[in-house]
Amino acid sequence: MRKHDNLFQRPRRSNILASYNNLDSHLRPCFLYMGIFPERSKFSVSKLIRMWIAEGFIVGGNVSLSLEETAHDYLKSLIDRNLVIVDDRKPDGSAKTCSMNYLMYEFCKTEAGNERENFLEEVKKSTTDGVFHPSVDQVEKYRRVCIHDDFSRFISKFVSLRGHRSLHVRLRSLISHSEETCPLKKKDVSVIGAAFKLLRVLDAKPMGFTKFPGDLYRLVLLRYVTLSLKAPVLTKDVSKLRSIQTLVVHTTSPSLKIEADILKMTELRHLKTNVSATLPKTDKKCNDGEQLQTLCYGFASSTSNSKRNQETG
């Protein structure tokens, strides 16, 4: 039966490879980047697009289209080539959530991780010996890393390793969709701020901070951030993130007071929190904030495993 399955899958894999090889060069990284999401999960189109923009994959070639509109065109091209599946649509018919079937996902991860591309690597923990594969000390080889299991142990091992020797990390994206919380000590945060100087995307909701970590301000290229706070305040210092485009804050507090003058953050396009928020008073005549497109309070989770649950439950 297994041999029969392989024979059946072989032509399908060759069709996927043909579709991928026929992609325009600007669409290939967009396709490979979808490997950051857990297998068989739905993912938010808006989240994906903001990550694409943060990574610099979207080139605004037409002055009449925003980066987001151009990104939607890129996604439509991938959908039309059957490289990604639309699961849910918005009232206007545009894609709201997407997913990839098993063969497409496996091809994406394999292609993204091969030596030629060196595009993306998923760090997995062995179920037998608990060892990470690839090992934590190999992280410096990769440009993008995702880890969806035991994120706290991964970070603690990285911090410990960093304390013993210098790592020349060239990560552009560090991503975790783990459900756990990983409270970080101040010294650990400083190590991360010093090590990930090229980071553009930090999608790490499991990272738990008492307050917004000042060491992140050292990441001058950072454009997309998702993290968790205990503090009920987003301080003025957040405006030091001069390149930030998307800021997503999860807090255990019942509300969030935003002291940072977000309208003066010239690159900020999207700000989201999971609770109600208050903003600082601004001059009504002020024209700042023209880039800001999304101000969302009390949102739901942007990734869902509902598809997996329906298939296995």
Side-chain angles (χ1 to χ4, degrees), residues 203-267:
D203 184 25
K205 180 184 173 184
M207 280 190 180
F209 302 100
T210 302
K211 61 180 181 179
F212 200 91
D215 285 281
L216 289 190
Y217 306 142
R218 300 164 67 179
L219 304 178
V220 296
L221 299 178
L222 198 59
R223 298 177 180 175
Y224 182 107
V225 180
T226 298
L227 44 73
S228 300
L229 299 179
K230 290 184 178 179
V233 178
L234 202 58
T235 64
K236 294 180 179 180
D237 287 343
V238 172
S239 59
K240 293 178 181 178
L241 292 170
R242 301 190 185 280
S243 299
I244 203 72
Q245 297 172 343
T246 300
L247 179 58
V248 183
V249 179
H250 298 258
T251 178
T252 55
S253 173
S255 62
L256 185 68
K257 181 180 180 182
I258 301 175
E259 294 180 346
D261 193 348
I262 61 173
L263 296 183
K264 292 188 180 296
M265 297 172 69
T266 56
E267 297 298 320

Side-chain angles (χ1 to χ4, degrees), residues 34-77:
M34 290 188 285
I36 66 170
F37 296 104
E39 183 182 347
R40 297 190 181 187
S41 65
K42 292 182 181 181
F43 50 85
S44 162
V45 166
S46 60
K47 175 175 181 173
L48 175 66
I49 281 175
R50 290 163 192 169
M51 288 177 155
W52 281 353
I53 293 172
E55 274 274 5
F57 297 156
I58 309 303
V59 180
N62 189 334
V63 293
S64 65
L65 293 178
S66 67
L67 291 173
E68 285 80 4
E69 289 169 329
T70 302
H72 275 286
D73 287 344
Y74 284 18
L75 179 63
K76 186 176 184 301
S77 295

Side-chain angles (χ1 to χ4, degrees), residues 31 34 43 83-85 98-102 104-105 108:
F31 170 73
M34 290 188 285
F43 50 85
L83 291 173
V84 61
I85 300 166
C98 288
S99 63
M100 306 177 82
N101 65 37
Y102 173 76
M104 198 70 67
Y105 183 80
C108 177

Side-chain angles (χ1 to χ4, degrees), residues 127-165:
T127 56
T128 55
D129 57 14
V131 175
F132 287 111
H133 299 283
S135 60
V136 177
D137 62 347
Q138 291 181 298
V139 166
E140 60 184 332
K141 296 181 180 180
Y142 307 114
R143 290 184 288 168
R144 299 165 188 90
V145 164
C146 57
I147 175 167
H148 307 309
D149 184 39
D150 210 351
F151 184 66
S152 59
R153 186 160 168 260
F154 170 82
I155 289 295
S156 65
K157 277 187 168 292
F158 177 85
V159 170
S160 175
L161 186 65
R162 171 79 179 182
H164 289 90
R165 70 181 181 90

Side-chain angles (χ1 to χ4, degrees), residues 40 305-313:
R40 297 190 181 187
N305 288 328
S306 59
K307 186 174 182 178
R308 180 186 302 173
N309 293 338
Q310 289 171 5
E311 290 180 350
T312 59

